[in-house]
Structures are given as C-alpha cells and as structure tokens.
Amino acid sequence: MDGNGTGPKKNDQNHDSKASGKTFLVHNRSGNHLPELDSESVIRKTENCSPVPAEDKGVDIINIKGIEDIGYVQQDSILLNARIPEENTQCRQGLYFQDGERRVDYILTYQIKKPGSSRRHSSRLTDNALTRSLRRSRGPPPQQDPEGATQEHNLQYHEDDKRVCREEFEGNLMEMGLDLEKDENSKTPGMGFVKIHAPWHVLCREAEFMKLKMPTKKVYEVNHGSSLVEKMNTFISKVTEPLHPKVEENRIHNVKHLSYPFSREKQHLFDLSDRDSFFDSKTRSSIVFEVLKRTKCTKFEYSMGITSLLANGVYMDAYPLHDGDIDGENSDPNDRKLLYEEWASYSVFYKYQPISLVRKYFGEKIGLYFAWLGVYTQMLIPASLVGVIVFLYGCVTVNDDIPSMEICDKRNNVTMCPLCDRACSYWNLVMACGTARASHLFDNPATVFFSVFMALWAAMFMEHWKRRQMRLNYIWDLTGFEDEEDHPRAEYEFRVMQKSLKKDQNAQKSEKEKLTCEDRLPAYMTNVVMMLFMIGVTFAIVFGVIVYRISTTSALHMSSDPTTRSNVRVTVKTTAAIINLVVIIILDEVYGAVARWLTILEVPKTDKSFEERLIFKTFILKFVNAFTPIIYIAFLRGRLVGRPGSYLYVFQSYRMEECAPGGCLMELCIQLSITMLGKQLIQNNLFEIGIPKLKKLIRYIKMKKGAFQEEEQREKKLQRYETDHFLEPYAGLTPEYMEMIIQFGFVTLFVASFPLAPLFALLNNIIEIRLDAKKFVAELRRPIAARAKDIGIWYNILRGIGKVAVIVNAFVISFTSDFIPRLVYQYMYSPDGSMHGFVNHTLSYFNVSDFEEGKDPLEPMHLGYRVEICRYKDYREPPWSQTPYEISKEFWAVLAARLAFVIVFQNVVMLMSDVVDWLIPDIPKDISVQIHKEKILMVELFMKEEEVKMQNSDSMAMRADKDNCNNHSSVHRSESTPNSHGSVF
C-alpha cells in the first residue's frame, strides 16, 4: 500500500474491452459527465484483476481527484470495475473495493427503481421545503398559489430528484478527498450501494481535527503499585488465568505507549511503519462518519447533511461494515470472530469480558456500558451471598419464632372478623399459619442488617465503578477528553428549513434561524399533558387490579369448595401479581414508544440532547409503571381500611383490602419476585432473542420476497455490505441501560422484603451479558464508534436510586414489617421481656352486634358456634371502654417508634455511605501516578525535540556563517587579481 492508501499502481495492460467498443462512464469531482473514454485509457488493472465491463457489473468508474492539503497532495485514483468478485476472497466478501486494495470504511445505500419507472413511481415526502428547493434548482416550477404550495406537505418526490441530490452530495464527498465506488447490480434487488474509502491523507487530516490520541514511538514502564501490591496482583492474575479470555488486548502489559493527539506536523512522533493498521477499522469508520456529517448539499437553497438525506429517503441507510464472518471454516481471522468466540458464546459465561477488544471494535461508549455491566454483575456476587445467608437464617429460625408459633397453635382459639362483607364469615387465626411462617423468612431481624448492608453496598458499587472508569480512561487514553459539540439532527434542520421558508414568503429574513421556546411551546404542553396522562393510566390500572382483588376475594369466599375457600389469599395474591406483570410488560413497550414520540415533538437540536430527554421521559414512565403496584402494597394496603362496623369502601360496595395477621410483607415479596423475575425472563431475555430474529426475518421477506432459500446459503452468496444491510440497525444503548437501571431499583429499593433479589439479578446478568454480546456481534449492524469518558446521565440516576433506596427501606422496615411493633412490645409491654403474647397485643376486639345493617356475615354459624366478639388487627380501644373503637395509646407509641427508626436509620446509613465515599478515592493511586508520569514524559519528549531543533538551527546557522565567510574571501580574492595590463583598476 502506498501513502495514499490506494495501493501500488500497476502498468496498464490491454484487454478485450477496447476491441469490443466498451466505454466507461467517468465523473469528475463536480459530478458532471466527462467525455466517454475507452476502457484502455481508464482502467489500470491490478495483479489479480480480470477486466469486466462496467455496464455488465453495474459499477460506476469515478475519477476522484482530491484537494490539496497542507503538505499532502492526493494522487489520482481510478475506481476500478475490473474484478470478478468470486475470483478474490476479499472482493467476494465485499470488504474491499474492486481493486482489492482499498478497504471499505463506510456504506451508503439507496433505492433503485427499474429503468423508466422513476417518472411513474414516486415516494411521498412531507419535506415540501426540500422538494421546492430541488424543483427550483432544476427549473422554474409551474404556476401555482404560493399559500397553497406552502401548506401542501405531500408532494410527489421523484427518483430523479433523489438522484440529483445524491450526485451533488457524492461530488462533495469526493471534494473532501474520499474514494467512492458504486454497486447497483448487487444480489439485493432494488438496492444500490455506495462504498466509501478514506485515503491516508484524509485519515491524517480528520484525526488531527478530531484530536484523536494515537500511540507514539515513546514507551515507558507501567508501575502497578508497590512491590507487595504488584506481587499480589501477579498472584491473583495467575490464579484467575482460566477466567481470562484468550485475547491479546486483555493481557496485562508492563509497558505502554505514550499517547498524543495526532498532528500532521509531528508525524515523526508516531510509528507509521504500517499505515494500514495505524488507524483501525473502528477509527476509520468514525472518521468517515465525521466527514459525512460535515458534508452538505450546497447546490440547493437549503443545505442538507447526511442526517437530512437519510430522513428524506435520498439514502436508505448508512453504516460501517463488520470485519468479517463469525463462523465458517473459510472465514478469515478477525476481531468480530474473536469476539464471537471469546465473548458472545454462552460457553464462556464464567470468564471475564474482553473489554479492551470490545472497545477496540465498538468504541469507548459501548465498551464503557459492558464494563459497567461487568462491574455491576461482579458486585452482585457478595450481595447475593449475604442475601442467601439472610434467607437461610429465616428458614432456620422459623420454628423459634414465637409470634408465628402462637398463630399456628390450635389451642389459641382466636376468632377473627370477616375479611369481606356478607359473603365472608368468621374464621380462626390458625388458618393464617402458613402465611405467618412464610413471612418470617423475610421479616426477621436479619433483614434490617441486610438493608444496611445493601445501602453500603450501593455506595461501594458506585465508588468501585468510578475507580474502574478512571482506570479505563487511562488505559484507553481518554484522560483530558472533552465531549465535542454534536451536529444538528435531521428533524431540527427540517424544522428550521420550514421556519425559514415561511419567513422568506413573508419577507422577514434573518441571518441565522433557530428554534426558540416559543416554537416548542406546543410540544412542551403536549409533553406535560401526555406524561401526566400516562402516569394517570398507570394509577388507574393499579386501582383496577385492587378492585379485581377485592371482588375476587368475595367471589372465592362464596365458593362451595373448601379447598378454594382455604386458599383464597394465595390465589388472589398470585393472580393479581401475574396480571400486574402482564400489564407492566405491555405498558413498558407503550411508554417507550410514547416517550420517543414526545421527544421527537420537542425537536432537540443534537443527538445528545435527544438522548438525555428520551432517557428522562422513559425512566419516569417505566419507573412509575414498574414500582407503583409495589409501592401500593408496601405503604398503602391495610392502612386505608377502617375498622369493623366502619369500613372504607370504593364505589360504596368494594371494601378496601386488609393485610394478613403476619403483615403485608409476604404479599410485597410475592409481587416483587413475580414482577422482577417475569420482566427478566420475558421482557429482557425472550424479547431480546425473539424480536431481533423476527425483525430480521421480516426484512428478508420484504426485500427478497422469498427469493432466497436458507439463511446460510444467502449469507454465503451476499457481499459483506449486503449481509450487514439485512442486520437490525443499531438503536442506541438506552434500552440496555434502562432494563439494568430498573433491575438496580428492584435490588436496592425493596431489598428488605426480598433478600433473594440480588441472587436473581446475578443469574439474569450472567445471561444478559452474553445475550447482549451476541446481539451486538451477530444481530446488529456495526455501530458508529463513539468516544465517551463516562456513562453519562445514568450515573446520576444510579446515585439517585441509591439515596432513595435508603429512605424506602427505612419505611419498609418500620411501617411494612412487624420489626418495630415487636421491639415496642418486647421492651414496653411484655411482662417477661419476651415475645409471648405479641399476637394478642396487636389484635383489637369488636362486638358483632355493632355491624352496620346488611354488612354482617350470611353464615354466622360457619364455625359451629355463635360468635359475639371477633378480633381484628389494629391498635384500638375495646367496645367496653369509655371510648370504644378509638385509637389506643399503643398505636401512638408504635408510630413514634416507627418515625424515630426512619430518622435514625436514614441518617446513620447516609453517614456511613458518605464515609465510604470519603475513604475510597475516586482515582486509584497507581493511575494517578501514571497520569502524572505521562505528563512529565510528554514534557521531556518535547523538550528533547526542541533541543534537537535548536541544535539543528545552530548548526545550520554556523554552516551559513561559514559559507558567507568563504564567499566573502573568494570575492575578495577575485577583486585583488590584476588585469591583463598589470593594473588592478
């Protein structure tokens, strides 16, 4: 390969095309046709190329002449159509141009109509401003009403207009120095492909503009810490050797190249011995993408970038290529195949991720996501172990729990008041034995310790991630990186075009148009109304499930089957939780689409602004959707009930629900576990596997109409850029982060009620990592490599959830569980300081004669004896007191203790979290030392360079002085020489 990246030039050779009269269509930089040339004067054959006429292969031969850069002049490059793809593996795979030398860095696709059909068939667009500008550039439009033309949004947009726009845009790309090659005769009917290659001088120019840090020739030794720390790291590395993937990028290196932003003036600092590999495929595609974003169609009245062209159907897709195939015996070794084998395979689930290789192939932004997911999964291991220990403690001590033993003791013949009006009858407390014993598994003193532990765990997780992030920033040369200003989105440019068009018609031109708050006011109002409406829909659905539980409870109690009547609580809890799960999954998809629609209405200017607004709306809606049923059970159920004889009713007929004698914590656990496990199994895993495959199948059916047979045969026949075209487009990391953030909420917010949540999250994430890896490697098109130094707004969301989790768990322990009432009874009311008598202490008395008319049971003799006094769970005065059924002093004592616990728990845990945050530095000490060392080495490098320059300048000055002296002496001698007459004059 030569310096321009176009390969060595070969001698011209004769071929049969000249004799057959074949000619080639040649374009200059402006896109205009040049005179027809015979093939011998145009084609420069390479060594393994055989001539194929251009019209037979459907490839345009374009003469690309680059512009002159500072110190660099691009060589003339001829796009060849002289190779049969099957004759060369590289060309057959579609990774290279037809000359087999220049690598394809980017692909643009466009739709092709059959010859002569572009006038008959057209696609409808709403971009009337774009259409009008195209018409204006091609000739005067027919006479029509200007107002009607402005209001008409569905004009016919012919394929000829798209072709003119493409030619102008591609001509500008050539002016920018890019090489282009077209393929309109691919095996994908109706699709044309533009292959783009960035020559060496373009890569250098753009790398300097983008301030890309590249490794220099200077290397230095990496200090991994003190000798003791280094020995420990070496020992740990040897022990965990089987857990590391067989990837060179993941090995620990003792030396590191000093990195510096690339500069064409300082190329001598960099190792350019192999220019083909100096810029890897990820960097090359990102450079081409930057050029595409800057290039505009300036021929027309309104400039359009690649985003506008894609939005208006001028181009269908734009994407970089994957490196090669992931399977097959004949597939060449490549990073994609290595990632598929060492990362995306379920057989390596126990290994660490090859994060450095992920970053090398997909870029820093995706690399940071998988690094964060790996750290989160690793931190779930100790949380899972502690959660399992807490659960086992509950199992071991269940037989020693005095309150549950009292409930299960048949000798305590406690008659409870009916659970519903009329249909329900009196029942014995012993029937709640199973619920009471199960509640102890999650409602025991160990859950308080576990809540404190998880709060500290969340703080340690955030600190650990910050340190890991700083280490990756150092390794990936991102120190000092700042986010660059993003280019405007297509929709924003289109709205600005519409605004400019209206002002042009009203003769109110301004220098530069932009969208103001006034322009977005209708969208903002729509956002507020729709967000409130969606949240209201969630509340309404939760209320509907409440009504379902109440009505189903009454219906099941009327059943004649004793088994059905004895399992009413379990049946109602489980079915209601499943209904909530189904509704949550459905609404998640609806809310995701609504959030995107609302964000599009706002017309954010940049992709970063669009992503942040979309994340905020999606998080609010999905968080409310997932946690509203859980919040109701945890904090509202059983507290808005009333008492026998004076219950609270919904619609004057449905009595509000009560908690079981063992508390609502068991029901909270059932709801939380079903929702969490269901979302992980159905939504996160099955949907992620099934939906991409279904979409891929639909795309094949639409594009191919069943013309191909098996998928494997298609992939063997198609070029690389055709195969990637059928992959699912990359839609960003928001869905991936969102499901993990919701899971983090399940793990931290209500962990006091479900200690096994970290374990189920760990098991899910082990699968999730490999599932996401396989999706990125095999199911999605290759994303644009985006640089990023952190995970952005997601870190702030995680910190917010961690802070809220402390408060939520404090309220769950104090108000949902019986932990505080038990402590109050044990230390204030128990005669012997034990828990004996606690159940009786929490039950109040009710005289059945005080029932409201029509609310008493239909079968008062259901238990076989007449009931005069029944019990219910509450702190109220007995009917024989002076203030019957009023709240007792025990209630206020317990409430005061609960509030005191919330305050103490919150402040103590927050303080401990802050101490952890303070004790653990954000930047590891060894990384801080290495960053400082890099700065010193960089200064020394430039000081040496300056010394060399000074020495060279001094030597040149001395040489110049010496030359001047010699010249002066020679002139003096010539002046002193006598003439032929012996006189010096």
Side-chain angles (χ1 to χ4, degrees), residues 32-254:
N32 299 323
H33 296 305
L34 295 176
E36 291 184 346
L37 304 176
D38 59 79
S39 58
E40 184 177 6
S41 64
V42 175
I43 293 184
R44 300 174 183 173
K45 292 179 11 178
T46 52
E47 287 183 340
N48 294 323
C49 295
S50 59
V52 178
E55 59 266 34
D56 293 344
K57 298 302 292 182
V59 180
D60 289 341
I61 308 301
I62 305 174
N63 184 15
I64 303 175
K65 201 174 185 65
I67 60 176
E68 294 186 3
D69 293 305
I70 302 175
Y72 296 92
V73 180
Q74 184 185 6
Q75 304 284 337
D76 290 353
S77 58
I78 306 297
L79 297 185
L80 301 178
N81 185 27
R83 179 186 295 273
I84 298 177
E86 286 74 17
E87 293 185 359
N88 187 277
T89 303
Q90 294 176 343
C91 294
R92 175 170 53 82
Q93 292 179 349
L95 293 172
Y96 290 82
F97 276 24
Q98 291 294 321
D99 58 10
E101 297 289 341
R102 289 169 292 180
R103 186 178 182 89
V104 178
D105 298 320
Y106 218 87
I107 289 292
L108 300 177
T109 67
Y110 55 93
Q111 197 169 8
I112 302 176
K113 293 292 183 179
K114 294 181 180 179
S117 64
S118 61
R119 294 289 181 184
R120 298 190 301 268
H121 301 284
S122 61
S123 60
R124 295 183 178 270
L125 291 182
T126 60
D127 192 355
N128 64 325
L130 174 61
T131 307
R132 289 167 59 85
S133 64
L134 288 171
R135 298 298 182 211
R136 192 175 297 115
S137 65
R138 300 185 63 189
Q143 296 293 329
Q144 55 181 340
D145 183 11
E147 295 183 0
T150 303
Q151 296 175 357
E152 184 178 358
H153 292 283
N154 292 324
L155 299 178
Q156 297 295 330
Y157 189 36
H158 291 282
E159 292 300 319
D160 289 345
D161 300 325
K162 295 182 181 180
R163 179 180 56 80
V164 170
C165 198
R166 284 196 298 267
E167 288 179 354
E168 201 265 338
F169 182 73
E170 291 164 10
N172 291 336
L173 289 180
M174 299 176 205
E175 293 287 348
M176 295 294 291
L178 297 178
D179 293 351
L180 308 182
E181 182 180 81
K182 288 187 178 180
D183 183 3
E184 294 187 349
N185 193 26
S186 63
K187 294 183 178 64
T188 306
M191 293 301 300
F193 297 88
V194 179
K195 294 177 276 187
I196 303 177
H197 167 79
W200 172 254
H201 79 283
V202 175
L203 296 174
C204 295
R205 181 190 70 207
E206 298 299 323
E208 184 174 351
F209 292 164
M210 297 169 63
K211 300 178 182 179
L212 295 180
K213 275 191 173 184
M214 304 301 294
T216 63
K217 298 177 183 178
K218 177 70 175 179
V219 296
Y220 66 95
E221 186 177 359
V222 177
N223 184 15
H224 296 287
S226 62
S227 58
L228 178 61
V229 174
E230 188 172 357
K231 290 180 180 179
M232 290 179 60
N233 291 335
T234 304
F235 174 75
I236 294 174
S237 178
K238 289 182 179 179
V239 171
T240 59
E241 181 67 25
L243 302 180
H244 290 278
K246 299 176 182 178
V247 175
E248 181 63 27
E249 283 76 7
N250 263 49
R251 299 185 183 278
I252 299 177
H253 300 283
N254 294 324

Side-chain angles (χ1 to χ4, degrees), residues 367-418:
L368 282 174
Y369 162 71
F370 282 102
W372 172 83
L373 183 57
V375 170
Y376 172 46
T377 304
Q378 290 177 7
M379 289 294 293
L380 283 173
I381 295 176
S384 302
L385 293 177
V386 177
V388 171
I389 292 173
V390 170
F391 178 74
L392 293 178
Y393 171 82
C395 295
V396 171
T397 60
V398 66
N399 292 326
D400 299 329
D401 182 48
I402 296 176
S404 60
M405 291 173 60
E406 289 182 348
I407 293 176
C408 296
D409 191 355
K410 295 182 179 180
R411 294 173 296 179
N412 296 332
N413 190 18
V414 180
T415 303
M416 303 296 293
C417 295

Side-chain angles (χ1 to χ4, degrees), residues 669-683:
C669 175
I670 292 175
Q671 178 68 57
L672 185 64
S673 59
I674 291 179
T675 303
M676 180 179 178
L677 296 178
K679 278 179 64 66
Q680 291 183 164
L681 292 176
I682 299 175
Q683 192 174 28

Side-chain angles (χ1 to χ4, degrees), residues 287-430:
I287 286 175
V288 173
F289 183 64
E290 285 296 320
V291 176
L292 289 174
K293 288 194 295 185
R294 287 205 318 269
T295 306
K296 304 288 183 180
C297 288
T298 57
K299 177 184 295 184
F300 306 117
E301 183 177 354
Y302 301 99
S303 62
M304 296 173 293
I306 184 62
T307 52
S308 298
L309 298 176
L310 289 170
N312 291 298
V314 178
Y315 290 103
M316 303 302 295
D317 293 297
Y319 52 89
L321 293 182
H322 281 293
D323 278 357
D325 295 328
I326 56 177
D327 51 10
E329 298 179 355
N330 298 327
S331 58
D332 297 329
N334 57 76
D335 289 341
R336 187 190 184 197
K337 183 177 182 181
L338 187 59
L339 283 173
Y340 188 78
E341 294 172 350
E342 295 293 331
W343 182 48
S345 175
Y346 292 106
S347 61
V348 294
F349 73 92
Y350 60 92
K351 290 187 177 182
Y352 294 110
Q353 297 183 86
I355 294 298
S356 295
L357 184 59
V358 174
R359 173 254 179 181
K360 177 185 175 184
Y361 192 78
F362 292 110
E364 287 80 6
K365 191 172 184 179
I366 295 177
L368 282 174
Y369 162 71
F370 282 102
W372 172 83
L373 183 57
V375 170
Y376 172 46
T377 304
Q378 290 177 7
M379 289 294 293
L380 283 173
I381 295 176
S384 302
L385 293 177
V386 177
V388 171
I389 292 173
V390 170
F391 178 74
L392 293 178
Y393 171 82
C395 295
V396 171
T397 60
V398 66
N399 292 326
D400 299 329
D401 182 48
I402 296 176
S404 60
M405 291 173 60
E406 289 182 348
I407 293 176
C408 296
D409 191 355
K410 295 182 179 180
R411 294 173 296 179
N412 296 332
N413 190 18
V414 180
T415 303
M416 303 296 293
C417 295
L419 297 174
C420 62
D421 294 338
R422 304 297 287 174
C424 302
S425 185
Y426 306 105
W427 57 285
N428 289 327
L429 181 61
V430 70

Side-chain angles (χ1 to χ4, degrees), residues 210-214 280 282-283 286 355-372 465 469 472-479 481 483 730 733 737 783-792:
M210 297 169 63
K211 300 178 182 179
L212 295 180
K213 275 191 173 184
M214 304 301 294
D280 55 20
K282 174 257 298 181
T283 306
S286 62
I355 294 298
S356 295
L357 184 59
V358 174
R359 173 254 179 181
K360 177 185 175 184
Y361 192 78
F362 292 110
E364 287 80 6
K365 191 172 184 179
I366 295 177
L368 282 174
Y369 162 71
F370 282 102
W372 172 83
W465 166 243
Q469 187 172 259
L472 291 177
N473 285 342
Y474 164 72
I475 296 174
W476 295 348
D477 298 321
L478 293 174
T479 52
F481 169 76
D483 293 333
Y730 170 68
L733 289 170
Y737 272 116
I784 302 296
R787 290 188 292 172
K789 62 180 180 180
D790 52 41
I791 60 175

